[in-house]
């Protein structure tokens, strides 16, 4: 057999090994081929895909770059290089490689998928969705482009459209495990734990080592079963503070009853194997055990609240014991939440550093997640093996929303400044309408202008991912919207005798006060940090002079 034939046979064996998940064996075959023929481009392609299967994008980039250097006229190398650059968070280079792929193979939908992901990470969502629409048009009967479009919808929080695209991918390829896992992820995010459990159980029944599916199952078990149990008990205690009133004790029983119903439906949706795994997680996972401890504390303070409330006279102020238990109940929630986040971060590892150019507000790294990169460049799901199962990341969803959360935080904080004067001139008795209109219009223009400016700034300087910002995305967005509505109504309500409606004024005052407090805290922190830097710099200058 000639050397060329031996190389082809080795590449073929490596490809088969890679398809069945034997990645290390495939790399050994490729190493043998490249030792005799270092410029074998097909072997370099297989080597890049082997790194891709385990999300080793830096090594994948090196292998793909070697392939491009050997065969610059073949689109496959540029395609693999584009996805590797997306994986290492270099969307500018990825966009250039994707454009070269499209130039060499304009009918290959994967080049457009790579360009769409790169554009999304560059903060260009409109261009990204136009590009992925082109990919879907080139291969409407292929599950791949529909799956990538679902990932992109999911990354910007459009879960309804993401679900439709996931289901379309599954209709075209019922064995598409990544799309089924994506459906489970959307369901878990929405709180549809029974649906999420069904989707994830189906994936794990066919592929027990699927790390993405196991992550979603951990979210269902730890954050769903145990986390929602604690929240239901805490809410029962909150309602129990009013148990001295007629029938309020029945309202306190409602949250635990709803949790039991949800837990029963979710448990039935799990497969037998997933139930065994769920029991193991609850017994052994430190994140579940910390939540169980929080559940016990909340149950203790909730019981104390209900017992004390039943002894209270509704016409008299709360007793000292009742006030102590109330404070303890609220502190239990705060301390438990901090403990959850701390343990989740410790198990999942530190957040990744911020790239030089990454996704901006309204987008997230989900569009360029390992799942998206791996599925877009391959014709089907790339299996992988796990000798030691990796720890799942329960904070990934929150980290992916941290850029949008940071933008919402800045909007809510700035909105507090812009809303102060419109709220004052609209309070009862309100100022004449022309004055209110001028003040409101100026404040509205300033608020909207700041929003556009801060979004562009965050695209260029996104900052580090922060799970806390992702968790607060909903409340921060609501606060910013309330401030926006209050400013707009202050400008348009025509009657001089008509103050802001209480349904708007009360939330706006609360959001504005919270924003002003946040401003004060930020100024104190920034001032302390600036003084510390000045002291450090002056000390370094003194040491240099000496």
């Amino acid at each position: 057999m000639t050397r060329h034939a031996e190389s082809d046979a080795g590449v073929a064996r490596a490809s088969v090994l890679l398809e069945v998940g034997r990645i290390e064996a495939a790399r050994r075959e490729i190493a043998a081929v490249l030792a005799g023929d270092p410029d074998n481009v097909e072997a370099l392609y297989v080597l890049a895909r082997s790194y891709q299967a385990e999300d080793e994008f830096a090594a994948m980039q090196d292998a793909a770059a070697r392939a491009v250097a050997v065969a610059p006229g073949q689109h496959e190398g540029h395609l693999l290089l584009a996805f590797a650059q997306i994986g290492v968070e270099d969307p500018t280079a990825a966009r250039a490689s994707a454009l070269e792929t499209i130039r060499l193979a304009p009918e290959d939908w994967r080049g457009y998928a790579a360009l769409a992901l790169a554009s999304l990470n560059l903060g260009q969502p409109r261009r990204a969705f136009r590009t992925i629409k082109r990919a879907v048009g080139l291969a409407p009967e292929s599950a791949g482009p529909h799956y990538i479009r679902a990932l992109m919808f999911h990354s910007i929080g459009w879960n309804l459209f993401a679900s439709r695209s996931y289901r379309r991918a599954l209709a075209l390829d019922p064995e598409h495990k990544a799309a089924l896992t994506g459906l489970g992820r959307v369901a878990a995010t929405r709180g549809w734990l029974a649906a999420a459990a069904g989707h994830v159980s189906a994936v794990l029944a066919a592929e027990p080592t699927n790390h993405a599916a196991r992550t979603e199952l951990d979210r269902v078990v730890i954050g769903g079963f145990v986390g929602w149990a604690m929240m239901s008990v805490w809410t029962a205690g909150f309602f129990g503070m009013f148990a001295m009133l007629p029938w309020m004790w029945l309202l306190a029983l409602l949250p635990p009853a709803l949790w039991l119903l949800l837990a029963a439906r979710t448990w039935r949706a799990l497969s037998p194997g997933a139930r065994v795994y769920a029991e193991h997680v609850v017994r052994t996972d430190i994140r579940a055990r910390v939540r169980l401890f929080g559940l016990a504390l909340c149950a203790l303070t909730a019981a104390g609240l209900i017992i004390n409330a039943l002894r209270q006279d509704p016409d008299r102020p709360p007793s000292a014991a009742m006030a102590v238990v109330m404070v303890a109940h609220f502190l239990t929630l705060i301390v438990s939440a901090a403990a959850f986040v701390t343990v989740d971060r410790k198990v999942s590892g530190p957040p990744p550093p911020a790239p030089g150019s990454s996704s901006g507000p309204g987008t997230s790294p989900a569009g360029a997640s390992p799942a998206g990169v791996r599925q877009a460049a391959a014709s089907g799901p790339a299996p992988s093996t796990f000798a030691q199962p990796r720890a799942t990341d329960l904070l990934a969803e929150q980290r992916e929303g941290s850029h949008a959360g940071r933008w919402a935080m800045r909007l809510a904080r700035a909105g507090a400044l812009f809303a102060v004067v419109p709220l004052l001139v609209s309070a009862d008795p309100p100022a004449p309408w022309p004055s209110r209109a001028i003040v409101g219009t100026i404040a509205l223009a300033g608020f909207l202008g700041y929003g556009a400016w801060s979004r562009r700034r965050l695209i260029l300087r996104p900052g580090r991912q922060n799970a806390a910002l992702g968790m607060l995305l909903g409340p921060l967005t609501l606060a910013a919207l309330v401030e926006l509505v209050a400013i707009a109504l202050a400008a348009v309500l025509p009657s001089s005798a008509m103050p802001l409606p209480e349904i708007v004024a009360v939330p706006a005052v609360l959001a504005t006060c919270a924003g002003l407090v946040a401003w004060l805290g930020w100024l104190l922190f920034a001032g302390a940090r600036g003084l510390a830097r000045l002291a450090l710099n002056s000390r370094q200058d003194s040491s240099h002079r000496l």
Side-chain angles (χ1 to χ4, degrees), residues 146-187:
H146 294 282
Y147 172 73
I148 299 300
R149 182 158 65 174
L151 279 180
M152 293 170 59
F153 279 131
H154 198 163
S155 73
I156 62 173
W158 291 14
N159 290 328
L160 176 61
F161 294 99
S163 296
R164 290 177 180 175
S165 294
Y166 281 135
R167 294 185 186 281
R168 178 58 179 163
L170 281 171
L172 295 170
D173 180 8
E175 301 299 321
H176 203 294
K177 305 297 188 303
L180 193 56
T181 303
L183 275 179
R185 185 182 177 194
V186 171

Side-chain angles (χ1 to χ4, degrees), residues 320-344:
M322 183 71 174
V324 170
V325 180
M326 287 170 57
V327 172
H329 192 58
F330 281 94
L331 286 178
T332 298
L333 178 65
I334 296 171
V335 172
S336 297
F340 299 165
V341 175
T342 301
V343 173
D344 291 350

Side-chain angles (χ1 to χ4, degrees), residues 36 138 240 420 500 520:
L138 287 173
V420 168
L500 285 179
L520 179 61

Side-chain angles (χ1 to χ4, degrees), residues 190-399:
R190 291 179 168 181
W192 300 345
L193 299 183
H199 296 320
V200 174
S201 295
V203 175
L204 291 174
E207 194 176 313
T209 59
N210 190 303
H211 185 72
R214 190 166 65 88
T215 299
E216 297 310 318
L217 184 56
D218 284 355
R219 289 182 67 199
V220 170
V221 174
I222 299 173
F225 276 126
V226 187
W228 281 109
M230 198 210 78
M231 284 303 303
S232 67
V233 171
W234 189 90
T235 306
F238 177 79
F239 289 139
M241 290 191 298
F242 310 98
M244 75 288 290
L245 301 176
W247 306 108
M248 279 299 295
W249 61 273
L250 283 177
L251 185 61
L253 296 177
L254 183 60
L258 292 176
W259 175 83
L260 287 173
L261 177 62
L262 176 65
R265 291 186 58 193
T266 306
W267 189 257
R268 287 196 301 268
L270 291 172
S271 64
R275 291 176 188 173
V276 174
Y277 175 78
E279 293 173 352
H280 174 74
V281 167
V282 172
R283 289 195 308 267
T284 62
D285 196 296
I286 183 63
R287 297 168 294 185
R289 295 169 73 177
V290 169
R291 283 167 171 81
L292 287 173
F293 185 72
L295 172 63
L297 289 180
C298 283
L300 183 63
T301 55
L305 274 175
I306 295 173
I307 292 172
N308 278 278
L310 290 173
R311 297 177 177 178
Q312 294 290 312
D313 185 344
D315 296 327
R316 291 189 174 184
S319 64
M322 183 71 174
V324 170
V325 180
M326 287 170 57
V327 172
H329 192 58
F330 281 94
L331 286 178
T332 298
L333 178 65
I334 296 171
V335 172
S336 297
F340 299 165
V341 175
T342 301
V343 173
D344 291 350
R345 289 184 64 181
K346 183 177 180 180
V347 173
S348 306
S357 178
S358 183
S359 55
T363 68
S364 78
S369 65
V373 175
R374 189 186 310 118
Q375 292 294 323
S379 57
S384 60
T385 57
F386 300 92
Q388 179 72 29
R390 291 178 288 155
T392 55
D393 188 357
L394 297 184
L395 297 178
E397 191 86 4
Q398 285 75 30
R399 288 197 183 103

Side-chain angles (χ1 to χ4, degrees), residues 288-536:
R289 295 169 73 177
V290 169
R291 283 167 171 81
L292 287 173
F293 185 72
L295 172 63
L297 289 180
C298 283
L300 183 63
T301 55
L305 274 175
I306 295 173
I307 292 172
N308 278 278
L310 290 173
R311 297 177 177 178
Q312 294 290 312
D313 185 344
D315 296 327
R316 291 189 174 184
S319 64
M322 183 71 174
V324 170
V325 180
M326 287 170 57
V327 172
H329 192 58
F330 281 94
L331 286 178
T332 298
L333 178 65
I334 296 171
V335 172
S336 297
F340 299 165
V341 175
T342 301
V343 173
D344 291 350
R345 289 184 64 181
K346 183 177 180 180
V347 173
S348 306
S357 178
S358 183
S359 55
T363 68
S364 78
S369 65
V373 175
R374 189 186 310 118
Q375 292 294 323
S379 57
S384 60
T385 57
F386 300 92
Q388 179 72 29
R390 291 178 288 155
T392 55
D393 188 357
L394 297 184
L395 297 178
E397 191 86 4
Q398 285 75 30
R399 288 197 183 103
E400 290 171 359
S402 64
H403 299 311
R406 182 172 285 108
W407 188 45
M409 178 190 68
R410 294 183 181 181
L411 284 180
R413 199 169 59 190
L417 293 179
F418 288 109
V420 168
V421 177
L423 284 175
L424 290 176
V425 299
S426 301
D428 197 10
W433 178 73
S435 301
R436 293 164 54 192
I438 294 173
V439 170
T441 302
I442 294 173
L444 186 62
F447 190 22
L448 295 177
Y450 174 82
W453 174 82
S454 63
R455 183 180 184 276
R456 289 195 299 270
R457 188 168 183 266
L458 276 173
I459 289 173
L460 299 176
R461 299 173 59 187
R464 292 181 63 87
Q465 291 186 355
N466 189 322
L469 287 175
M471 293 177 183
L472 294 174
L473 173 59
L476 289 171
T477 303
L478 182 61
L481 287 175
V482 166
E483 292 164 347
L484 178 63
V485 170
I487 295 171
L489 288 181
V492 302
L493 285 180
S495 175
S496 299
M498 182 186 295
L500 285 179
E502 289 189 2
I503 194 173
V504 176
V506 173
V509 169
L510 293 176
T512 301
C513 292
L516 293 175
V517 171
W519 262 114
L520 179 61
W522 180 82
L523 289 173
L524 292 175
F525 171 76
R529 183 176 58 182
L531 291 175
R533 287 179 177 176
L534 286 175
L536 181 60

